[in-house]
């Protein structure tokens, strides 16, 4: 039977953003699944008037899935599919894929009440995602309540047409909400005090940024699923870190580079310093890569994204000049190595 | 079974269990994995492996798997036993032991991806997805037909999964996992579209 390519294209473009970034039973994939579900929920909710306000939480307790509902909870059948409007106030116990979901009906009005509820149920050490239904703000607690949350806003409308300025605004959001200060998730620092980055910093930054962009693309009104975020896209010039497409047309080809104060080393004393010259060379190389990607794709725009983990918050003039010369957008985000106010 | 628990598929019905195994056999070449069984007889109740059922029951009797809601039904196809299977502490020990060897780890890796691909589609379509599989549902294959997908040219499921590559933006190389997830979405749309 000949395959209908329109059907395949539709399925591919509507679902590629949903494919989990890692193994299905990986915490990153769980967070991705929740973010995708919530963005789709947010879209569905635009036309509803019966949304219950408050905060809700999705708690990962996969071993609960094979049992009957825990005391005081009820199974939420077809939760993944049905996008219930009665979300606010509740605590949900879920597996990794949101198939077995148990609901504790509650009246949680803020994060404190969520925390109290989870403590009462003795599940406060589990990874969970809290959601403010009205503000549509997501709080990710990847290692339970003991760590500071990473917040991701869902509600902002994504302007149309999508161009490099929109991309920049989205990166600004991700920076402000997740990356600016040393956060346990996505955990870019191995030792923030000593300014030692984690292993494979660029890869982790890339997958975190992509996971959020993909989640926001999925089900967003702008895209109706046709806006694609692709990481590691292969073309003649190499692999593009982040490529954004709409209707199969590449809008942005971005290269991510991390500027370091020290190289990664598990032993703090052995972590070697990175010279300013090396950082500049690294950034300029990124600008050249972005230009090559832009031309070979071809893409409307090429972007160099620098995540700056150095000790001084200072622009890299050589990279700015290189970007200007090559028609590339230069973006630099300085990552503070402490909590707000520490730097 | 370990992955099925994490993905919320447990307790899993006998019917669904066999269908997931069938899909995992069919799509194994995507991951360069050898299917445990590349042949099946098209059965009136959908994909079914008598040998697997024998092992499943044996494991249940040994206490390595748990079984509940056992029932015998009689319908237009004859008599049939249906049950729900789930894991216990012994299952986890067996899984951990299997993961101690390279082959076990590889299989676990693949089956985890497979089960999560099934788990990602609507629960309402889980059971019928395998019935709409391109190989199983190939026109002309009637009940009792011998389906042999050992030869890649006969494995229409893998061919369909790989066909997604042609409709994606040029230069984007879909990973085996992406092909598998998209193929399951394809089956989901077939079920939802009422092709069966």
């Amino acid at each position: 039977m000949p395959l209908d390519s329109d059907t395949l294209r539709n399925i591919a473009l509507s679902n590629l953003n949903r494919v989990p970034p890692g193994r299905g039973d990986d915490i990153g994939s769980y967070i991705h699944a929740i973010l995708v579900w919530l963005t789709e929920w947010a879209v569905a909710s635009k036309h509803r008037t019966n949304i219950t306000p408050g905060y809700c939480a999705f708690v990962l307790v996969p071993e609960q899935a094979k049992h009957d509902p825990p005391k005081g909870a009820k199974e939420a059948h077809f939760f993944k599919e049905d996008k219930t409007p009665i979300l606010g106030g509740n605590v949900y116990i879920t597996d990794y894929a949101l198939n077995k979901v148990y609901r504790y009906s509650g009246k949680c009005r803020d994060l404190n009440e969520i925390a109290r509820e989870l403590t009462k149920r003795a599940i406060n050490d589990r990874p969970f995602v809290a959601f403010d239904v009205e503000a549509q703000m997501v709080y990710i607690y990847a290692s339970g309540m003991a760590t500071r949350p990473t917040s991701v806003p869902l509600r902002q409308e994504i302007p149309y047409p999508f161009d490099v300025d929109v991309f920049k605004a989205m990166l600004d959001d991700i920076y402000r909400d997740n990356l600016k200060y040393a956060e346990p998730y996505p955990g870019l620092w191995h030792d923030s005090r000593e300014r030692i980055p984690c292993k494979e910093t660029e890869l982790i930054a890339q997958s975190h940024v992509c996971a959020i962009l993909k989640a926001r693309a999925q089900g967003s009104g702008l895209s109706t699923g046709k806006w694609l975020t692709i990481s590691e896209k292969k073309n003649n010039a190499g692999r593009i870190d982040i490529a954004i497409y709409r209707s199969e047309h590449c809008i942005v080809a971005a290269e991510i580079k991390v500027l370091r104060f020290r190289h990664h080393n598990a032993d703090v004393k052995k972590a070697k310093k990175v010279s300013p010259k090396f950082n500049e060379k690294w950034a300029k190389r990124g600008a050249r890569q972005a230009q090559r990607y832009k031309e070979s794709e071809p893409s409307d725009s090429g972007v160099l994204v620098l995540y700056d983990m150095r000790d001084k918050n200072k622009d890299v003039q050589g990279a700015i000049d290189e970007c200007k010369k090559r028609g590339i957008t230069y973006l630099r985000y300085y990552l503070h190595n402490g909590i707000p106010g520490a730097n | 079974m370990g992955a099925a628990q994490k993905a919320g598929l447990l307790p899993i019905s006998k019917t669904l269990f066999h269908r997931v195994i069938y899909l995992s056999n069919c799509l194994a070449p995507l991951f360069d994995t050898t299917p445990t069984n590349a042949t099946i007889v098209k059965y009136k109740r959908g994909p079914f492996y008598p040998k697997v059922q024998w092992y499943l029951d044996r494991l249940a009797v040994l206490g390595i798997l748990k079984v509940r809601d056992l029932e015998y039904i009689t319908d237009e196809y004859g008599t049939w036993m249906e049950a729900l299977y789930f894991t216990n502490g012994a299952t986890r020990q067996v899984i951990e032991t299997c993961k101690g060897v390279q082959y076990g780890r590889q299989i676990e890796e693949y089956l985890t991806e497979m089960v999560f691909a099934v788990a990602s589609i609507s629960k309402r379509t889980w059971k019928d997805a395998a019935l709409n599989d391109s190989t199983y549902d190939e026109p002309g294959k009637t009940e009792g037909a011998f389906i042999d997908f050992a030869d890649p040219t006969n494995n229409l499921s893998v061919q369909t999964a790989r066909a997604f590559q042609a409709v994606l933006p040029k230069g984007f190389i879909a990973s085996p996992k992406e092909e598998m997830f998209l193929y399951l979405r394809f089956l989901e749309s077939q079920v939802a579209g009422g092709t069966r």
Side-chain angles (χ1 to χ4, degrees), chain A residues 3 5 8-9 11-12 15-16 18-20 22-25 62-63 65-66 68 75 78 80-82 95-97 99-100 228 230 233-234 245 248 297, chain B residues 5-8 10-11 87-88 92 108-109 112 116 119-124 126 160 163-164 167-172 177-178 181-182 185-186 189:
Chain A
L3 290 166
S5 58
L8 293 186
R9 184 174 294 110
I11 292 170
N15 292 290
L16 203 61
R18 291 180 200 235
V19 179
R23 254 178 74 121
D25 55 355
E63 63 275 19
K66 66 174 177 167
D68 289 331
E75 183 165 359
F78 297 106
K80 183 178 71 183
E81 293 83 357
D82 289 350
D95 57 63
Y96 282 92
N99 286 313
K100 264 285 163 70
L228 270 188
I230 298 176
K233 185 190 174 290
K234 211 173 167 188
Y245 283 82
E248 295 178 59
E297 198 50 27
Chain B
Q5 182 192 316
K6 291 173 185 167
L10 295 190
T87 57
N88 59 17
R92 280 193 293 280
E108 194 260 351
E109 190 81 22
T112 300
F116 272 92
S120 72
I121 64 174
S122 167
K123 219 179 197 177
R124 295 182 173 98
W126 283 353
T160 308
F164 280 105
V167 298
L168 287 167
K170 224 174 161 188
F172 172 64
K177 177 184 173 155
E178 285 163 335
F181 268 75
L182 293 180
R185 289 282 172 182
F186 169 75
S189 74

Coordinates of all heavy atoms in Angstrom, one line a residue, chain A residues 3 5 8-9 11-12 15-16 18-20 22-25 62-63 65-66 68 75 78 80-82 95-97 99-100 228 230 233-234 245 248 297, chain B residues 5-8 10-11 87-88 92 108-109 112 116 119-124 126 160 163-164 167-172 177-178 181-182 185-186 189:
Chain A
L3 N 2.4 4.8 0.8 CA 2.2 5.6 2.0 C 1.8 7.0 1.6 O 2.4 7.5 0.6 CB 3.4 5.6 2.8 CG 3.8 4.3 3.5 CD1 5.2 4.3 4.0 CD2 2.8 4.0 4.7
S5 N 2.2 10.6 1.8 CA 3.3 11.4 2.4 C 2.7 12.6 3.2 O 3.3 13.1 4.2 CB 4.3 11.9 1.4 OG 3.6 12.6 0.4
L8 N 2.0 11.3 6.7 CA 3.3 11.1 7.4 C 3.9 12.4 7.8 O 4.3 12.6 9.0 CB 4.3 10.3 6.5 CG 4.0 8.9 6.2 CD1 5.1 8.2 5.5 CD2 3.6 8.1 7.4
R9 N 3.8 13.4 6.9 CA 4.4 14.7 7.2 C 3.6 15.3 8.4 O 4.2 15.9 9.3 CB 4.3 15.6 6.0 CG 5.0 17.0 6.3 CD 5.0 17.9 5.0 NE 5.9 17.3 4.0 CZ 5.5 16.8 2.8 NH1 4.2 16.8 2.5 NH2 6.3 16.3 2.0
I11 N 1.9 13.8 10.7 CA 2.2 13.1 12.0 C 3.6 13.5 12.5 O 3.8 13.8 13.7 CB 2.2 11.6 11.8 CG1 0.7 11.2 11.5 CG2 2.7 10.8 13.0 CD1 0.5 9.8 11.1
A12 N 4.6 13.6 11.6 CA 6.0 13.9 11.9 C 6.0 15.3 12.5 O 6.6 15.5 13.6 CB 6.9 13.8 10.7
N15 N 4.4 15.7 16.0 CA 4.8 14.9 17.1 C 6.3 14.9 17.4 O 6.7 14.4 18.4 CB 4.3 13.5 16.9 CG 2.8 13.4 17.0 OD1 2.2 13.6 18.1 ND2 2.1 13.2 15.9
L16 N 7.1 15.4 16.5 CA 8.5 15.3 16.7 C 8.9 16.0 18.0 O 9.8 15.5 18.7 CB 9.2 15.8 15.5 CG 10.7 15.3 15.3 CD1 10.7 13.8 15.2 CD2 11.3 16.0 14.2
R18 N 7.4 16.1 20.6 CA 7.0 15.3 21.8 C 7.9 14.2 22.2 O 7.9 13.7 23.3 CB 5.7 14.6 21.5 CG 4.5 15.5 21.4 CD 3.3 14.5 21.1 NE 2.2 15.2 20.5 CZ 1.0 15.1 21.0 NH1 0.8 14.5 22.1 NH2 0.0 15.7 20.4
V19 N 8.8 13.8 21.3 CA 9.6 12.7 21.6 C 10.6 13.0 22.7 O 11.2 14.1 22.7 CB 10.5 12.3 20.3 CG1 11.4 11.1 20.6 CG2 9.6 12.0 19.1
P20 N 10.6 12.2 23.8 CA 11.4 12.6 24.9 C 12.9 12.6 24.6 O 13.4 11.9 23.8 CB 11.1 11.4 25.9 CG 10.5 10.3 25.2 CD 9.9 10.9 24.0
G22 N 15.5 11.9 26.4 CA 16.4 10.8 26.9 C 15.6 9.5 26.9 O 14.6 9.4 26.3
R23 N 16.1 8.6 27.7 CA 15.4 7.3 27.9 C 14.0 7.7 28.6 O 14.0 8.7 29.3 CB 16.2 6.5 28.9 CG 16.9 5.3 28.3 CD 17.6 4.5 29.4 NE 16.8 3.8 30.3 CZ 16.8 2.5 30.5 NH1 17.7 1.8 29.8 NH2 16.0 1.9 31.3
G24 N 13.0 6.9 28.3 CA 11.7 7.2 28.8 C 11.7 7.3 30.3 O 10.9 8.1 30.9
D25 N 12.5 6.5 31.0 CA 12.5 6.5 32.4 C 13.6 7.4 33.0 O 14.2 7.1 34.1 CB 12.7 5.1 33.0 CG 13.9 4.4 32.5 OD1 14.6 4.9 31.6 OD2 14.2 3.2 32.9
P62 N 6.7 6.2 40.3 CA 6.4 5.2 39.3 C 6.0 3.8 39.9 O 5.2 3.1 39.4 CB 7.6 5.0 38.4 CG 8.7 5.6 39.2 CD 8.1 6.7 40.1
E63 N 6.6 3.5 41.1 CA 6.2 2.2 41.7 C 4.8 2.2 42.2 O 4.2 1.1 42.4 CB 7.2 1.9 42.8 CG 7.2 2.8 44.0 CD 8.1 4.0 43.8 OE1 8.4 4.4 42.7 OE2 8.4 4.7 44.8
A65 N 2.3 2.9 40.4 CA 1.5 2.7 39.2 C 0.9 1.3 39.2 O -0.2 1.2 38.7 CB 2.3 3.0 38.0
K66 N 1.5 0.3 39.7 CA 1.0 -1.0 39.6 C 0.0 -1.3 40.7 O -0.7 -2.4 40.7 CB 2.1 -2.1 39.6 CG 2.9 -2.1 40.9 CD 3.9 -3.2 40.9 CE 4.6 -3.2 42.2 NZ 5.4 -4.3 42.4
D68 N -3.2 -0.3 43.6 CA -4.5 0.5 43.6 C -4.2 1.9 44.1 O -3.1 2.1 44.6 CB -5.4 -0.2 44.5 CG -5.9 -1.5 43.9 OD1 -6.0 -1.6 42.6 OD2 -6.2 -2.5 44.6
E75 N -8.0 7.3 41.2 CA -7.4 7.2 39.9 C -8.0 8.2 38.9 O -9.2 8.3 38.8 CB -7.5 5.8 39.3 CG -6.7 5.7 38.0 CD -6.4 4.2 37.6 OE1 -6.8 3.3 38.3 OE2 -5.8 4.1 36.5
F78 N -7.6 8.2 32.0 CA -7.3 9.0 30.8 C -6.9 10.4 31.1 O -7.3 11.3 30.4 CB -8.6 9.0 29.9 CG -8.9 7.6 29.4 CD1 -10.0 6.9 30.0 CD2 -8.1 6.9 28.5 CE1 -10.3 5.6 29.6 CE2 -8.4 5.6 28.1 CZ -9.5 5.0 28.7
K80 N -3.9 11.7 30.8 CA -3.0 12.2 29.7 C -3.8 12.7 28.5 O -3.5 13.8 27.9 CB -2.1 11.0 29.2 CG -1.1 11.4 28.2 CD -0.2 10.2 27.8 CE -1.0 9.2 27.0 NZ -0.2 8.0 26.7
E81 N -4.9 12.1 28.2 CA -5.7 12.4 27.0 C -6.7 13.5 27.3 O -6.9 14.3 26.4 CB -6.5 11.2 26.5 CG -5.6 10.0 26.0 CD -5.0 9.1 27.0 OE1 -5.3 9.4 28.2 OE2 -4.3 8.2 26.7
D82 N -7.2 13.6 28.5 CA -8.4 14.4 28.6 C -8.2 15.8 29.0 O -9.1 16.6 29.0 CB -9.4 13.7 29.6 CG -10.0 12.5 29.0 OD1 -9.8 12.3 27.8 OD2 -10.7 11.6 29.7
D95 N 3.2 8.1 36.9 CA 4.4 7.3 36.4 C 5.1 8.3 35.4 O 4.8 9.4 35.3 CB 3.9 6.1 35.6 CG 2.9 6.4 34.5 OD1 3.4 7.1 33.6 OD2 1.8 6.1 34.6
Y96 N 6.1 7.7 34.7 CA 6.9 8.6 33.8 C 6.1 9.1 32.6 O 6.5 10.1 32.0 CB 8.1 7.8 33.3 CG 9.2 7.7 34.3 CD1 9.3 6.6 35.1 CD2 10.2 8.7 34.4 CE1 10.4 6.5 36.0 CE2 11.3 8.5 35.3 CZ 11.3 7.4 36.1 OH 12.4 7.3 37.0
A97 N 5.1 8.4 32.2 CA 4.4 8.7 30.9 C 3.0 9.2 31.1 O 2.3 9.3 30.1 CB 4.4 7.5 30.0
N99 N 0.4 7.8 32.4 CA -0.7 6.9 32.1 C -1.5 6.4 33.4 O -2.7 6.3 33.3 CB -0.1 5.6 31.4 CG 0.2 6.0 30.0 OD1 -0.6 6.6 29.3 ND2 1.4 5.6 29.5
K100 N -0.7 6.1 34.4 CA -1.4 5.8 35.7 C -1.2 7.0 36.5 O -0.1 7.4 37.0 CB -0.6 4.6 36.3 CG -1.3 3.3 36.1 CD -2.5 3.1 36.9 CE -3.4 2.0 36.4 NZ -2.9 0.7 36.6
L228 N 9.0 23.4 14.5 CA 9.8 22.3 15.0 C 11.1 22.9 15.6 O 11.7 23.8 15.0 CB 10.3 21.5 13.7 CG 9.4 20.3 13.3 CD1 10.2 19.6 12.2 CD2 9.2 19.4 14.5
I230 N 14.7 21.5 16.5 CA 15.6 20.3 16.2 C 17.0 20.6 16.8 O 17.6 21.6 16.6 CB 15.7 20.0 14.7 CG1 14.3 19.7 14.2 CG2 16.6 18.9 14.5 CD1 14.2 19.5 12.7
K233 N 21.0 19.1 14.4 CA 20.6 18.9 13.0 C 21.8 18.9 12.1 O 22.6 19.8 12.1 CB 19.6 20.0 12.5 CG 19.1 19.6 11.1 CD 18.3 20.8 10.5 CE 18.0 20.4 9.1 NZ 19.1 20.3 8.2
K234 N 21.9 17.8 11.3 CA 23.1 17.6 10.4 C 22.9 18.4 9.1 O 21.8 18.3 8.6 CB 23.2 16.1 10.1 CG 24.6 15.7 9.9 CD 24.6 14.2 9.8 CE 26.0 13.8 9.3 NZ 26.0 12.4 9.0
Y245 N 12.4 25.5 12.8 CA 11.7 25.5 11.5 C 10.3 25.9 11.7 O 9.7 25.6 12.7 CB 11.7 24.0 11.0 CG 13.0 23.6 10.4 CD1 14.0 23.2 11.2 CD2 13.2 23.7 9.0 CE1 15.3 22.8 10.7 CE2 14.4 23.3 8.5 CZ 15.4 22.9 9.3 OH 16.6 22.5 8.8
E248 N 8.8 23.7 7.4 CA 10.0 23.2 6.7 C 11.0 24.3 6.3 O 11.8 24.0 5.5 CB 9.6 22.3 5.5 CG 8.8 21.1 6.0 CD 8.4 20.2 4.9 OE1 9.2 19.8 4.1 OE2 7.2 20.0 4.7
E297 N 22.2 26.0 5.3 CA 20.8 25.4 5.5 C 19.9 25.6 4.3 O 19.3 24.7 3.9 CB 20.3 25.9 6.8 CG 19.2 25.2 7.4 CD 19.4 23.7 7.5 OE1 20.5 23.2 7.6 OE2 18.4 22.9 7.4
Chain B
Q5 N 6.1 -1.0 34.0 CA 5.6 -0.4 35.3 C 5.9 1.1 35.3 O 5.1 1.9 35.6 CB 6.4 -1.1 36.4 CG 5.9 -0.5 37.8 CD 6.8 -0.9 38.9 OE1 7.2 -2.1 39.0 NE2 7.2 0.0 39.8
K6 N 7.2 1.4 34.8 CA 7.5 2.9 34.9 C 6.7 3.7 33.9 O 6.4 4.9 34.1 CB 9.0 3.0 34.5 CG 10.0 2.5 35.5 CD 11.4 2.5 35.0 CE 12.3 1.9 35.9 NZ 13.6 1.6 35.3
A7 N 6.2 3.1 32.9 CA 5.4 3.8 31.9 C 3.9 3.7 32.2 O 3.1 4.2 31.4 CB 5.7 3.3 30.5
G8 N 3.5 3.1 33.3 CA 2.1 3.0 33.7 C 1.3 2.0 32.9 O 0.1 2.2 32.7
L10 N 1.2 -1.2 33.7 CA 0.8 -2.3 34.6 C -0.4 -2.0 35.4 O -0.6 -0.8 35.8 CB 2.0 -2.7 35.5 CG 3.2 -3.2 34.8 CD1 4.2 -3.7 35.9 CD2 2.9 -4.3 33.8
P11 N -1.2 -2.9 35.8 CA -1.1 -4.3 35.3 C -1.5 -4.4 33.8 O -2.4 -3.7 33.4 CB -2.2 -5.0 36.2 CG -3.1 -4.0 36.6 CD -2.3 -2.7 36.7
T87 N 4.1 -6.9 38.3 CA 5.4 -7.3 38.8 C 5.4 -7.3 40.3 O 4.5 -6.8 41.0 CB 6.5 -6.2 38.4 OG1 6.1 -5.0 38.9 CG2 6.7 -6.2 36.9
N88 N 6.4 -8.0 40.9 CA 6.6 -7.9 42.4 C 8.1 -7.8 42.6 O 8.9 -7.6 41.7 CB 5.9 -9.1 43.0 CG 6.5 -10.4 42.5 OD1 7.6 -10.4 41.9 ND2 5.9 -11.5 42.7
R92 N 11.6 -7.8 40.0 CA 12.7 -6.7 40.0 C 14.1 -7.4 40.1 O 15.0 -7.0 39.5 CB 12.5 -5.7 41.1 CG 11.4 -4.7 40.7 CD 11.4 -3.5 41.6 NE 11.0 -3.9 42.9 CZ 9.7 -4.0 43.3 NH1 8.8 -3.8 42.4 NH2 9.3 -4.3 44.5
E108 N 17.2 -4.6 27.5 CA 16.4 -3.8 28.4 C 16.4 -2.3 27.8 O 15.3 -1.7 27.8 CB 17.1 -3.7 29.7 CG 16.3 -3.1 30.8 CD 16.7 -1.7 31.2 OE1 17.7 -1.2 30.7 OE2 15.9 -1.1 31.9
E109 N 17.5 -1.9 27.2 CA 17.5 -0.6 26.6 C 16.5 -0.5 25.5 O 15.7 0.5 25.5 CB 18.9 -0.4 26.0 CG 19.2 1.0 25.6 CD 19.7 1.9 26.7 OE1 20.1 1.5 27.8 OE2 19.5 3.1 26.6
T112 N 12.8 -0.8 26.8 CA 12.4 0.5 27.5 C 11.9 1.5 26.5 O 10.8 2.1 26.6 CB 13.5 1.0 28.3 OG1 13.9 0.0 29.3 CG2 13.1 2.3 29.1
F116 N 8.0 2.7 26.1 CA 7.6 4.1 26.2 C 7.0 4.7 25.0 O 6.2 5.6 25.0 CB 8.8 4.9 26.7 CG 8.9 4.9 28.2 CD1 9.7 4.0 28.9 CD2 8.3 5.9 29.0 CE1 9.8 4.0 30.3 CE2 8.3 5.9 30.3 CZ 9.1 4.9 31.0
A119 N 3.6 3.6 25.3 CA 2.9 4.4 26.4 C 2.7 5.8 26.0 O 1.8 6.5 26.6 CB 3.8 4.4 27.6
S120 N 3.4 6.3 25.0 CA 3.2 7.7 24.6 C 1.9 8.0 23.8 O 1.5 9.1 23.8 CB 4.4 8.2 23.8 OG 4.3 7.6 22.5
I121 N 1.3 7.0 23.2 CA 0.1 7.2 22.5 C -1.1 7.1 23.4 O -1.0 6.7 24.5 CB 0.0 6.2 21.2 CG1 -0.1 4.8 21.7 CG2 1.1 6.4 20.3 CD1 -0.4 3.8 20.5
S122 N -2.2 7.5 22.9 CA -3.4 7.5 23.7 C -3.8 6.1 24.2 O -3.7 5.1 23.5 CB -4.6 8.0 22.9 OG -5.8 7.7 23.6
K123 N -4.1 6.0 25.5 CA -4.4 4.7 26.1 C -5.5 4.0 25.4 O -5.6 2.8 25.3 CB -4.9 5.1 27.5 CG -4.5 4.2 28.6 CD -5.1 4.7 29.9 CE -4.4 4.2 31.1 NZ -4.9 4.8 32.4
R124 N -6.4 4.8 24.8 CA -7.6 4.3 24.1 C -7.2 3.5 22.9 O -8.0 2.7 22.3 CB -8.5 5.4 23.7 CG -9.2 6.1 24.9 CD -10.1 7.2 24.5 NE -10.8 7.7 25.6 CZ -10.5 8.9 26.2 NH1 -9.5 9.6 25.7 NH2 -11.2 9.3 27.2
W126 N -4.1 1.7 22.6 CA -3.0 0.8 22.9 C -3.3 -0.6 22.3 O -2.5 -1.2 21.6 CB -2.8 0.6 24.4 CG -2.1 1.7 25.1 CD1 -1.4 2.7 24.5 CD2 -1.9 1.9 26.5 NE1 -0.9 3.5 25.4 CE2 -1.2 3.0 26.6 CE3 -2.3 1.2 27.6 CZ2 -0.8 3.5 27.9 CZ3 -2.0 1.6 28.8 CH2 -1.2 2.8 29.0
T160 N 7.8 1.7 7.0 CA 6.9 2.9 7.2 C 7.6 3.8 8.2 O 7.6 5.0 8.0 CB 5.6 2.4 7.8 OG1 5.0 1.5 7.0 CG2 4.6 3.6 8.0
A163 N 10.1 5.7 6.6 CA 9.6 6.7 5.5 C 9.4 8.1 6.1 O 9.3 9.0 5.3 CB 8.2 6.1 5.0
F164 N 9.4 8.2 7.4 CA 9.2 9.5 8.0 C 10.4 10.4 7.6 O 10.3 11.6 7.6 CB 9.1 9.4 9.6 CG 7.7 9.1 10.0 CD1 7.4 7.8 10.5 CD2 6.7 10.0 9.9 CE1 6.2 7.4 10.8 CE2 5.4 9.6 10.3 CZ 5.1 8.4 10.8
V167 N 9.9 12.9 4.9 CA 9.0 14.1 5.0 C 9.5 15.1 6.0 O 8.9 16.1 6.2 CB 7.6 13.6 5.4 CG1 7.0 12.7 4.3 CG2 7.6 12.9 6.7
L168 N 10.6 14.8 6.6 CA 11.2 15.7 7.6 C 12.1 16.8 6.9 O 12.5 16.5 5.7 CB 12.0 15.0 8.6 CG 11.1 14.2 9.6 CD1 12.0 13.2 10.4 CD2 10.4 15.1 10.6
P169 N 12.4 17.9 7.5 CA 13.2 18.9 6.8 C 14.5 18.2 6.4 O 15.1 17.4 7.1 CB 13.5 19.9 7.9 CG 12.3 19.8 8.8 CD 11.9 18.4 8.8
K170 N 14.9 18.7 5.2 CA 16.1 18.1 4.6 C 17.3 18.1 5.5 O 17.6 19.2 6.1 CB 16.4 18.9 3.3 CG 16.8 18.0 2.1 CD 16.9 18.9 0.9 CE 17.7 18.2 -0.2 NZ 18.0 19.1 -1.3
G171 N 18.0 17.1 5.6 CA 19.3 17.1 6.4 C 19.0 16.7 7.9 O 19.9 16.3 8.6
F172 N 17.8 16.7 8.3 CA 17.5 16.2 9.6 C 17.4 14.7 9.6 O 16.6 14.1 8.9 CB 16.2 16.8 10.1 CG 15.7 16.2 11.4 CD1 16.5 16.4 12.6 CD2 14.6 15.4 11.5 CE1 16.1 15.8 13.8 CE2 14.2 14.8 12.7 CZ 15.0 15.1 13.9
K177 N 14.9 6.0 17.7 CA 13.9 6.3 18.7 C 12.8 7.2 18.1 O 11.6 7.0 18.3 CB 14.5 7.0 19.9 CG 13.6 7.4 20.9 CD 14.4 8.1 22.0 CE 13.5 8.7 23.0 NZ 14.2 8.8 24.3
E178 N 13.2 8.3 17.4 CA 12.2 9.2 16.8 C 11.4 8.5 15.8 O 10.1 8.6 15.7 CB 12.9 10.4 16.2 CG 13.4 11.4 17.3 CD 14.4 12.4 16.8 OE1 15.1 12.1 15.8 OE2 14.5 13.4 17.4
F181 N 8.8 6.3 17.7 CA 7.8 7.1 18.3 C 6.8 7.6 17.2 O 5.6 7.6 17.4 CB 8.3 8.3 19.1 CG 8.6 8.0 20.5 CD1 9.7 7.2 20.9 CD2 7.8 8.5 21.5 CE1 9.9 6.9 22.2 CE2 8.0 8.2 22.9 CZ 9.1 7.5 23.2
L182 N 7.4 8.1 16.1 CA 6.5 8.6 15.0 C 5.6 7.4 14.5 O 4.5 7.6 14.1 CB 7.3 9.3 14.0 CG 8.0 10.6 14.4 CD1 8.8 11.2 13.2 CD2 7.0 11.6 14.9
R185 N 2.8 6.8 16.6 CA 1.8 7.9 16.4 C 1.0 7.6 15.1 O -0.2 7.9 15.0 CB 2.4 9.3 16.3 CG 3.0 9.8 17.6 CD 1.9 10.3 18.5 NE 2.4 10.6 19.8 CZ 1.7 11.0 20.8 NH1 0.4 11.3 20.7 NH2 2.2 11.3 22.0
F186 N 1.7 7.1 14.2 CA 1.0 6.7 12.9 C 0.0 5.6 13.2 O -1.2 5.7 12.7 CB 2.1 6.2 11.9 CG 1.6 5.5 10.7 CD1 1.0 6.2 9.6 CD2 1.6 4.1 10.5 CE1 0.5 5.6 8.5 CE2 1.1 3.5 9.4 CZ 0.5 4.3 8.4
S189 N -3.0 7.1 14.8 CA -3.9 7.9 13.9 C -4.7 6.9 13.1 O -5.8 7.1 12.8 CB -3.1 8.8 13.0 OG -2.4 8.1 12.1

